[in-house]
Amino acid sequence: MPLLLPLLLAAAQPQLAMNPLPVGSVVPFGAPPSSAMQVLESELGSVETFDPMGRAVDLARDLPRVWSGVYRSFSGGAPLPVKLRLAEATPMGQMVDLRGEMQVGETTVAVQGNLNAKSDQLDLLMLCDCEVGGMESGGEISGMQGLELAGWIAPRLTNPGGRFDLRPEAAAPASPSGGAPVRGLW
């Protein structure tokens, strides 16, 4: 397919291929036929119309400010309850600057990070020199689906890290009322 475009362009201007031009002469230009332009568009694809800076403004405005869920360490142990409160969400280009606090178990720490409006990549740092729920200082919270599914990346290879599962507080599932357990059909 990549060889098709030069052939179409050569067919559109056969006089240039047959008659060599002297040095310094002006080369006449003729627009390629519309069929060649359609082939060019199909080879290169369409133009991207996504506006990451506009989405960053929308995210900063509409992003829920309170998230809750659990943190599960990959090394085992009981899941710890987590509550994330975002005090500020400021658009900066295609990034959203996040600042707030996170409560893991009984400990509350300040957090700061970035959310990429184009890729939904999250980088969040705990701003303390302490160990919170098995997460040592120097690690980072990183997510590829925004705040909903993120992991803690440890600063050392001896700690396997862990996983956060957060949901907006309004959409957090209510605890079961003690009804009958759900059973599978098979």
Side-chain angles (χ1 to χ4, degrees), residues 7-97:
L7 292 174
L8 286 173
L9 291 176
Q13 297 179 350
Q15 73 277 5
L16 293 179
M18 292 188 284
N19 302 327
L21 295 173
V23 177
S25 65
V26 177
V27 178
F29 175 76
S34 62
S35 61
M37 292 305 293
Q38 290 171 353
V39 170
L40 178 64
E41 288 175 1
S42 67
E43 280 186 9
L44 298 178
S46 62
V47 175
E48 183 177 329
T49 59
F50 178 71
D51 179 16
M53 293 194 297
R55 183 166 186 257
V57 171
D58 291 343
L59 276 174
R61 181 187 63 233
D62 299 335
L63 190 68
R65 298 298 193 238
V66 180
W67 295 73
S68 60
V70 294
Y71 169 73
R72 291 180 178 91
S73 174
F74 292 142
S75 61
L80 295 172
V82 175
K83 184 169 282 208
L84 174 65
R85 293 177 190 89
L86 298 174
E88 296 177 36
T90 309
M92 302 173 113
Q94 75 175 25
M95 305 296 278
V96 179
D97 179 46

Side-chain angles (χ1 to χ4, degrees), residues 138-151:
E140 72 172 284
I141 299 167
S142 180
M144 298 309 265
Q145 296 178 9
L147 291 164
E148 291 187 4
L149 183 60

